[in-house]
Each structure stands twice: as structure tokens, then as C-alpha cells.
Amino acid sequence: MHPKAIILVGGPSRGTRFRPLSLNVPKPLFPVAGKPIISHHIAALSKIDDLKEVFLIGFFEDAVFSSFLQDAAREFPNLHIRYLREYQSLGTAGGLYHFRDEILRGNPEQVFVLHADVACTFPLVEMRKAHAGHRGLCTILGTKVPRESANNFGCLVAKPDTNEVLHYVEKPETFISNLISCGVYLFDAAIFDEIRKSLENKKGNVETDIYGREVFQDGSKLRLEQDLLRPLAQARKLFVYETLDFWRQIKTAGSAVPVNGLYLQQLLSTQPEKLAKSAPGGPEIEGAVYIHPTAQVDPKAKLGPNVSIGPNVYVGQGARIRDSIILDSVDIKQNACILYAIIGWNSKVGCWSRVEGTLPAAHNSTAVTKNGLKIQSVAILGKEVVVKDEIIIRNCVVLPHKELKQSCENEIVM
């Protein structure tokens, strides 16, 4: 009767907008605030007292998650965490239905479903209390975003007094509401009957492609948002729990930097002992900064706010880093400056060099270029990039294994 949880992790054909970082690690395992993205999901799930099983569902190779699962088993001993691999991409609801026997084993009353590419405080305990107060099949976590960006998401129209969802539209063409889906759901176990109905309705349907040709739909791909949530809203079985805390999508590589900052700020208020502090004989720390125990930071360096330093990193004398993620085994020489950037594994930044980006202004923007020009955004160095001394790299994305001997700005360096 215990609830279970599912994290939808996608597969290798996804995450193309997360390049060049996804060339070396799948997006769900990319570290933000010192932990893989989905570790934050599992940490929130571990706070639900009677939840014992978590499934990762996707179509990556089994070996991709084997090391992570071993680490997670040590960190969360009360949870049984497994990876269930789809034989092909079945869609966000299709994967759930494919593994329904495994999910429903033990007769759980409820199932949490979380998308891997979202970041928030995950108020799952509060969601569960709200879910117990209505007779719907699903409670969806919602948040409000600026009006101009609302149509990039699934939009909800809900009754303000009961939170019953009257209307759900995925990425509408015109403005409907600034209340959107966060990609976090709590379903009753009876939802699998609704998925079966949606699957049967979809099988044999004929749709039209962009050229006006009829395309037969075999129903093998079933999408959670489009194929399931809309019918639930129409049947008055969908409710929303609105969070006032932070929420972000992790779509592009650059979006990891603001998410890193949000998670670090959360740690600063809830578990400050996990973060670095300024101390005599140590580096100057400003705001929320995570430093891995194996990293070496010169006492005359200055870090923060919102900085994550990965394993085996070296930060030299006089270096300045803020609003950045420094990945494993990076070497940052003396007086280098890193601002709004991600520095990839085993990269080197020379003396007096500067790697600088710009935090994206748009809320949850996923665009990289506009009108053929690169949008000013977070600077990203892929794996094993070398920046020579006294070089300025501004608003650039650099693919792996490049050596930069001259300054560049607003470029994608292939």
C-alpha cells in the first residue's frame, strides 16, 4: 500500500540542446550544486516516510546508471532504486504503461511521477496532503511564470477555490493562463486504467503531417501531457497544487547555471553545513559555494556567490569565480576570472584569462540562437578545452578538445 515514485529520464536521442555537456554525461546525471540532477529528486522523495521504491524509466543503456545507482543506494539506504529500460522510446506515458506490472506490484495506492529535467523544492509531502483532500485521480504541481513565457509550457486554468483544473493545453498558441505544469505529478493507481483508455483511443487513429499527408498512428508512443492530462481535465479528475518556491526547467546546457544557484541558495537556508565558509588561511567565500573535499583552492582565491567546485579541481592564487559550475579535474591558473560559466571536465584556464557569460534574461529560455546570431548566454567550455594565458572568452560555447589561443566573443567554437 506504500506509494511508489518514477523519474522519467529520457534517452540518448534527447538532450541535444544540452550539448556539448551531454556528449560526455547524460543530462539526468549532470552535477548541479555538487550532485547529479536526479539526486535532488531522490532526496525529496526520501522525505516521504512510507515511500520505499523509486524507478528510473528511460531508454539509455543499462550501464549508464549503474554507478549512480550504487552511489544512491549508499546515500539513500531506505529506498530501493532501480532503472527500467524501455526497448525504444515509448513516450512519457507509454513507458509508465509498459512497466505497469512492476509499478503496481505490492498494490501501491499512489504513484509520484517526476520529469528529470525540472528543478524545484519538490514539495511532495504537501502535494500528498492536498491530494488527500479531493477525489481527483491526479494532483499536478503548478507554478506561475511571466505572461510572455507561459505559452512555452503546459498551461492550466483552475478554479481558485478548489484548485480543480478546468482546462489543460500543452504549449498553446495564444495566452490562456500563466499557471503552468511543473512536470511533477501524483497519481492514484487507477491512472493505469485511464492510460489504457488513451492508448486504445489512439491506436488506429489517422493524423495529418505537415504536408497534409495522412499518417497512421500505431499508438506505441503515448505522451503524458497531451494524451492523458487533457482527458483528465475534461473529466474533472485533475487538480493543481501551486508552489510559490523556485522552479526551473533544465533544457539547455546554460540553464544548469541558474539551477545550480537556486539549489545552492536552498542549501544555504536548509543545510548550510554542506557549503564552504570563509575562514582564516582559506579562500574568500561570498554567498553559497560548494567545494568538493578533493578540490584544492588557493587561500588568495575568491569564490561566490553560487559556485560549485567539482572533484580534483585546482584553483590558483588570485582567481575569481562567481555564478559558475567547475567540473571534475579542471585547472584554473592564477588570476583567472570565471563568471557565469560552465568549465568542462579536465579543462585548463590560463593565467589572467577570462571566461565570461551572461545569465539568460528570459525565464526558462531554451533558445541558443536568434536570427542567425548566438544569443548572449552562459559561457560553456566542453571537456578538455585549453584556454591559453591572457585570453578572453565571452558568451561562447566551445566544443570538447579545443585549444583557444586567441580571444573570441559570441561564437560557437566547433
Side-chain angles (χ1 to χ4, degrees):
M1 303 295 284
H2 300 301
K4 294 189 181 183
I6 293 146
I7 302 174
L8 302 172
V9 296
S13 62
R14 303 281 183 249
T16 54
R17 285 178 290 185
F18 205 70
R19 292 175 182 169
L21 303 175
S22 58
L23 296 172
N24 299 102
V25 66
K27 184 167 65 172
L29 298 182
F30 183 80
V32 292
K35 288 185 174 182
I37 287 171
I38 56 174
S39 271
H40 298 280
H41 298 57
I42 295 172
L45 290 165
S46 70
K47 295 175 184 175
I48 301 169
D49 292 335
D50 54 345
L51 190 144
K52 304 299 180 189
E53 273 192 281
V54 179
F55 299 113
L56 314 180
I57 294 182
F59 53 102
F60 288 100
E61 296 285 339
D62 293 307
V64 168
F65 289 99
S66 57
S67 177
F68 170 79
L69 292 174
Q70 291 171 13
D71 294 340
R74 286 190 291 269
E75 187 176 357
F76 306 103
N78 295 328
L79 293 178
H80 181 53
I81 307 168
R82 292 173 54 200
Y83 175 57
L84 302 178
R85 182 185 175 192
E86 301 170 24
Y87 60 91
Q88 66 180 51
S89 174
L90 299 173
T92 45
L96 296 180
Y97 194 68
H98 181 68
F99 292 110
R100 61 193 179 278
D101 292 341
E102 194 67 41
I103 296 166
L104 294 174
R105 183 172 290 145
N107 299 316
E109 286 186 340
Q110 297 164 340
V111 178
F112 283 96
V113 177
L114 294 74
H115 282 284
D117 60 354
V118 297
C120 62
T121 55
F122 296 106
L124 305 178
V125 174
E126 295 85 346
M127 272 183 76
R128 199 175 178 198
K129 288 177 182 175
H131 188 76
H134 62 71
R135 294 186 177 182
L137 276 181
C138 173
T139 297
I140 185 170
L141 185 66
T143 191
K144 287 183 177 172
V145 298
R147 179 187 176 107
E148 60 273 13
S149 60
N151 63 350
N152 294 322
F153 309 100
C155 294
L156 310 164
V157 177
K159 284 184 179 178
D161 52 341
T162 64
N163 293 319
E164 179 187 329
V165 176
L166 303 173
H167 193 44
Y168 177 88
V169 182
E170 183 70 16
K171 297 181 181 176
E173 294 182 3
T174 58
F175 178 77
I176 290 176
S177 167
N178 68 337
L179 179 63
I180 65 160
S181 163
C182 292
V184 177
Y185 314 100
L186 175 56
F187 294 108
D188 281 349
I191 194 63
F192 287 93
D193 295 330
E194 300 295 324
I195 297 177
R196 180 179 50 78
K197 291 176 189 174
S198 295
L199 200 59
E200 289 173 352
N201 289 338
K202 196 173 183 186
K203 278 184 177 176
N205 282 356
V206 175
E207 295 185 2
T208 305
D209 67 10
I210 58 173
Y211 301 106
R213 298 176 302 201
E214 289 188 333
V215 180
F216 181 77
Q217 301 295 314
D218 64 3
S220 61
K221 278 197 181 185
L222 197 65
R223 302 162 298 179
L224 193 62
E225 288 77 11
Q226 293 94 326
D227 298 324
L228 190 60
L229 295 186
R230 288 189 70 176
L232 284 178
Q234 291 164 2
R236 301 289 187 261
K237 295 178 180 178
L238 183 63
F239 288 74
V240 62
Y241 175 81
E242 184 181 346
T243 177
L244 302 178
D245 294 330
F246 75 85
W247 177 82
R248 284 289 188 279
Q249 267 191 317
I250 309 171
K251 290 294 186 186
T252 62
S255 63
V257 167
V259 166
N260 179 67
L262 291 166
Y263 274 139
L264 287 173
Q265 292 297 329
Q266 184 185 6
L267 276 177
L268 189 62
S269 61
T270 59
Q271 296 175 292
E273 68 279 1
K274 293 192 174 183
L275 299 178
K277 301 178 183 66
S278 287
E284 183 179 348
I285 303 295
E286 179 184 327
V289 175
Y290 169 81
I291 302 176
H292 192 274
T294 61
Q296 297 180 50
V297 181
D298 190 276
K300 293 187 177 179
K302 182 176 179 180
L303 309 181
N306 305 327
V307 170
S308 290
I309 305 290
N312 304 308
V313 168
Y314 174 77
V315 180
Q317 178 181 336
R320 176 70 175 104
I321 306 173
R322 69 164 293 169
D323 290 283
S324 296
I325 299 173
I326 313 299
L327 296 170
D328 307 20
S329 304
V330 167
D331 186 1
I332 297 173
K333 301 295 187 184
Q334 66 185 48
N335 300 308
C337 183
I338 314 288
L339 308 174
Y340 306 110
I342 299 173
I343 310 299
W345 306 265
N346 302 101
S347 291
K348 292 179 171 59
V349 179
C351 301
W352 294 100
S353 285
R354 186 180 184 97
V355 180
E356 180 181 359
T358 308
L359 274 185
H363 187 280
N364 286 296
S365 172
T366 60
V368 177
T369 59
K370 185 176 182 180
N371 299 327
L373 299 174
K374 185 185 176 299
I375 294 172
Q376 290 198 341
S377 185
V378 169
I380 299 166
L381 305 187
K383 184 179 181 181
E384 295 178 0
V385 170
V386 177
V387 178
K388 292 294 189 178
D389 296 348
E390 301 178 15
I391 298 294
I392 297 175
I393 307 298
R394 184 173 284 126
N395 294 316
C396 290
V397 175
V398 183
L399 269 64
H401 315 297
K402 302 296 177 188
E403 185 173 317
L404 303 177
K405 298 179 180 178
Q406 59 186 25
S407 299
C408 55
E409 184 173 357
N410 297 327
E411 290 184 38
I412 299 174
V413 181
M414 308 289 281

